[in-house]
Amino acid sequence: MQKPPQAVDFALKETSPNIGAGAVTTDKLACTYDLVEQMQYLYVHVVKAKDLPGKDVTGSCDPYVEVKLGNYKGTTKHFEKKTNPEWSQVFAFSKERIQASILEVSVKDKDVVLDDLIGRVLFELNEIPKRVPPDSPLAPQWYRLEDRKGDKVKNGELMLAVWMGTQADEAFPDAWHSDAAAVGPDGIANIRSKVYLSPKLWYVRVNVIEAQDLVPGDKSRFPEAFVKVTLGNQALRTRISQSRSIHPMWNEDLIFVAAETFEEPLILTVEDRVGPNKDEILGKCVIPLQLVQRRLDHKPVNTRWYNLEKHVAADVEQKKEIKFASRIHLRACLDGGYHVLDESTHHSSDLRPTAKQLWRPIIGILELGVLSAVGLMPMKTKDGRGTTDAYCVAKYGQKWIRTRTIVDSFTPKWNEQYTWEVFDPCTVITIGVFDNGHVQGGGGGGKDSRIGKVRIRLSTLETDRVYTHSYPLIVLQQSGVKKTGEVQLAVRFTCSSFINMLHMYSHPLLPKMHYIHPLSVIQLDSLRHQAMQIVSMRLSRAEPPLRKEVVEYMLDVDSHMWSMRRSKANFFRIMGVLSGLIAVGKWFDQICNWKNPLTTILIHILFIILVLYPELILPTIFLYLFLIGIWNFRWRPRHPPHMDTRLSHADAAHPDELDEEFDSFPTSKPSDIVRMRYDRLRSIAGRVQTVVGDLATQGERFQSLLSWRDPRATTLFVIFCLIAAVVLYVTPFQVVALLIGIYVLRHPRFRHKLPSVPLNFFRRLPARSDSMI
């Protein structure tokens, strides 16, 4: 049967780019960035000038430098009345677009209109030297300026460095590029490649214990006291104390998310519920987070009494008369033993705890080559025609990267390479492609439109192999699923310690504190939302900013929202998992009905042998699993997983379902009753959707044991099956059954809260959730 055209259109395609990895070459340039194609650039470093002659009556000038190569022309800023200016600016001209043989570097005077040339320096392109990193930068030299006739001017010299290099040059990121010549000076900062770091996030735990000597405004009644704790834009409150007195008790835990460098203090207010929707502040306390104790384990920190300041204004004399103050008893700490979730739990790129002392050693290196994109759709209109200014963003761990923006191109070529340290193979790198809406500068008027996203789970990659594929960029819109182009990537996961990496499969997925003192699902969802907002705000303050819409799209900020399409997709994922059991049932029914007499006779013989020799049951099962795993090795997946429109039910979604999925939350329906019922349905169905997806994930992990989707995990399981088959063969079945029974029924003293090694191994197995849109 032929594949439907739509399935082929959304397929992953293997590419053969001209990159250095795996190639037999003696070119040192190819070894620097070996996951991207070499791009040759002519670099011109304009450093400074001296003794420039002035053409006005005062003998001074307003100099600037113009670098011209064919039709491309770049200029530096000008200085007023300065004969010894310093620019220190680099210009980069792509060799592919060079259509000239002479490079002209001119020093001009901005005030002179008719003949503004002070002097120039000419270079022949075939005489320009090549620079090969990691050599040191080329030293700039002084050049005597010439006039238009080629004669040396009396005064005036220009310091320059001119060389041919590649994108591996350290001058590349901050250089003026010829392919962005149309970008104004206000937009230059918004198109450069940058590396960003997410802020270091902490969980702030505040245990509100009690208060003493509260002074209510109404002395005739005991206060209905509660504590409100605020950290930035996060606010939580305790319940109203059950002890109606001026010494209320709560003993409640409140948890917040904070980011270093702790700009916001912790603000506590004790309030009295004096009436419906009316609260009176009895006291206030401000605690800087820099003074809060940090803890790495579950041991409780010391409690402390804090004085509560009166909220009403009082003069100095009144404050002196106060002999005592209301106090509040707290236990506050920065929990460094947790991992602060700031992205979707199914696509986490980092699982380390906050405290660096608890980090495990690195197990490998992840290298990503962002090569190019093809077939991009026009994302905006400029001068009456469609255009796209595309750039890529990749996120793994705390490190975000942003490539430079290729202006006005549907087939951009970036050829930029980046590296990350890997601490856990069961993590996901996310790559997104966006259209830059701020090429011409300006503030927050426009938005960076999403073009598409790719997710790659590291455990599905073979170590030291270079994957070069063209990934379809797929977005879901209200009109349906749409392919917006393809992005070509090169990925390599290099293992530094194979034993340490295999040992990671026996460790818990999250830090110990998540199991010793687990947080509730509701808490985790709320804290994850707050962490996303903090990361988004911090990155949007960088220069150039990584804007909020970009960060939210990369972090799947709306992944928890109700969607009929996702619910149907998760249901069919479960049906796909159960189809194996259904197939076994049908096969057994055929055995019972003698549809294949030879197979039925063999099953009878096997059944009699296992009944007579029950000690062979478990060895036979594990040996059978071992043989299936070895047999499936021939058909192991050779490509990384990618977005699957058929799995996501995006290709056949009903328009009404998409309208519901893209509806605002709360809904924009006119009737109040319909809005209430609709929102309730979406909230409940969202939880059901998550549970169904988790069930599907567990079943798919069983399938991945022998599918070689994670080659290291399947290797471990296949070897375990072989060893188990041998051990169970030489060990009497009664002994094995006795040991298993004693282990299962063991005393609680011999149990611990951390998950077992088999459970840790199972939770690290990949599932098809990586391929869900």
Side-chain angles (χ1 to χ4, degrees), residues 720-739:
F720 168 76
C721 290
L722 178 61
I723 296 173
V726 174
V727 171
L728 292 172
Y729 175 77
V730 300
T731 306
F733 177 77
Q734 292 84 352
V735 175
V736 175
L738 183 63
L739 292 176

Side-chain angles (χ1 to χ4, degrees), residues 575-591 624 703:
M575 295 304 297
V577 171
L578 297 178
S579 63
L581 296 177
I582 297 173
V584 171
K586 291 181 179 179
W587 173 78
F588 187 72
D589 184 66
Q590 292 176 354
I591 295 297
Y624 181 62
Q703 288 183 329

Side-chain angles (χ1 to χ4, degrees), residues 512-580:
K512 291 181 180 180
M513 285 291 290
H514 286 269
Y515 307 101
I516 298 174
H517 283 295
L519 303 174
S520 68
V521 176
I522 297 177
Q523 276 182 316
L524 284 175
D525 284 343
S526 174
L527 293 171
R528 185 173 79 97
H529 178 73
Q530 293 296 336
M532 285 180 175
Q533 297 301 318
I534 292 174
V535 172
S536 173
M537 181 185 67
R538 286 291 183 90
L539 294 180
S540 65
R541 290 164 53 186
E543 185 61 38
L546 202 57
R547 303 187 184 275
K548 181 180 180 182
E549 61 270 18
V550 174
V551 177
E552 290 184 347
Y553 182 57
M554 295 289 289
L555 294 179
D556 287 332
V557 72
D558 57 351
S559 61
H560 64 287
M561 296 297 290
W562 156 254
S563 164
M564 178 68 77
R565 176 189 61 82
R566 283 199 194 104
S567 298
K568 289 168 62 177
N570 287 331
F571 172 76
F572 284 103
R573 286 171 62 198
I574 289 181
M575 295 304 297
V577 171
L578 297 178
S579 63

Side-chain angles (χ1 to χ4, degrees), residues 43-54:
Y43 289 98
V44 180
H45 183 195
V46 180
V47 183
K48 57 184 176 180
K50 68 178 180 180
D51 301 332
L52 294 180

Side-chain angles (χ1 to χ4, degrees), residues 23 142 149 166 370 523 590 684 721:
W142 286 106
K149 298 179 182 179
T166 66
V370 184
Q523 276 182 316
Q590 292 176 354
I684 296 173
C721 290

Side-chain angles (χ1 to χ4, degrees), residues 216-468:
D218 185 1
K219 302 295 179 63
S220 63
R221 54 180 285 277
F222 287 114
E224 298 182 15
F226 64 91
V227 178
K228 181 179 178 181
V229 186
T230 305
L231 180 62
N233 60 353
Q234 307 169 68
L236 296 175
R237 60 176 61 190
T238 66
R239 68 183 185 277
I240 295 177
S241 175
Q242 300 300 315
S243 55
R244 298 288 196 270
S245 70
I246 61 172
H247 309 299
M249 297 189 66
W250 297 279
N251 197 23
E252 283 191 46
D253 266 353
L254 304 177
I255 302 179
F256 304 86
V257 179
E260 291 187 353
T261 56
F262 304 132
E263 299 173 355
E264 302 286 347
L266 202 63
I267 303 174
L268 294 92
T269 55
V270 181
E271 303 185 19
D272 179 16
R273 178 65 51 85
V274 297
N277 300 322
K278 186 178 180 182
D279 302 324
E280 178 187 348
I281 297 178
L282 304 180
K284 180 180 179 182
C285 176
V286 178
I287 305 174
L289 288 181
Q290 290 87 344
L291 306 180
V292 173
Q293 183 177 347
R294 305 185 182 194
R295 72 171 185 176
L296 308 181
D297 50 25
H298 61 282
K299 297 178 182 177
V301 298
N302 297 326
T303 61
R304 184 176 171 185
W305 288 93
Y306 293 88
N307 290 332
L308 291 173
E309 300 175 0
K310 293 294 289 181
H311 188 65
V312 295
D315 55 31
V316 179
E317 294 180 1
Q318 287 178 326
K319 288 185 178 180
K320 288 181 180 178
E321 294 175 0
I322 297 176
K323 302 299 183 183
F324 67 94
S326 302
R327 300 193 304 167
I328 188 169
H329 195 196
L330 301 175
R331 178 184 283 114
C333 68
L334 294 169
D335 265 331
Y338 290 92
H339 168 66
V340 181
L341 294 167
D342 63 341
E343 52 196 340
S344 174
T345 52
H346 292 296
H347 313 124
S348 292
S349 63
D350 189 10
L351 301 169
R352 292 171 292 170
T354 300
K356 197 169 184 179
Q357 300 93 311
L358 302 178
W359 289 4
R360 295 190 177 96
I362 66 169
I363 61 165
I365 297 294
L366 172 65
E367 296 169 277
L368 172 69
V370 184
L371 300 177
S372 60
V374 294
L376 296 184
M377 302 291 290
M379 303 303 294
K380 56 179 178 281
T381 303
K382 180 182 177 183
D383 299 331
R385 61 181 181 88
T387 181
T388 297
D389 306 318
Y391 68 92
C392 278
V393 173
K395 195 264 185 194
Y396 183 79
Q398 290 184 320
K399 179 179 174 181
W400 299 65
I401 66 96
R402 168 183 176 148
T403 67
R404 71 191 190 283
T405 300
I406 305 299
V407 180
D408 194 12
S409 175
F410 300 130
T411 56
K413 292 185 178 180
W414 295 286
N415 286 305
E416 298 182 26
Q417 184 169 335
Y418 298 93
T419 305
W420 287 267
E421 291 180 336
V422 178
F423 293 85
D424 195 315
C426 304
T427 45
V428 176
I429 181 173
T430 304
I431 304 104
V433 184
F434 300 88
D435 171 61
N436 196 331
H438 302 79
V439 170
Q440 300 305 323
K447 287 191 173 182
D448 291 356
S449 305
R450 58 182 70 170
I451 299 178
K453 182 167 57 178
V454 175
R455 288 190 292 256
I456 303 174
R457 183 172 290 272
L458 269 60
S459 63
T460 62
L461 305 177
E462 298 177 10
T463 52
D464 300 320
R465 176 185 168 187
V466 178
Y467 289 83
T468 53

Side-chain angles (χ1 to χ4, degrees), residues 463-476:
T463 52
D464 300 320
R465 176 185 168 187
V466 178
Y467 289 83
T468 53
H469 290 88
S470 181
Y471 294 81
L473 296 172
I474 304 169
V475 293
L476 190 66

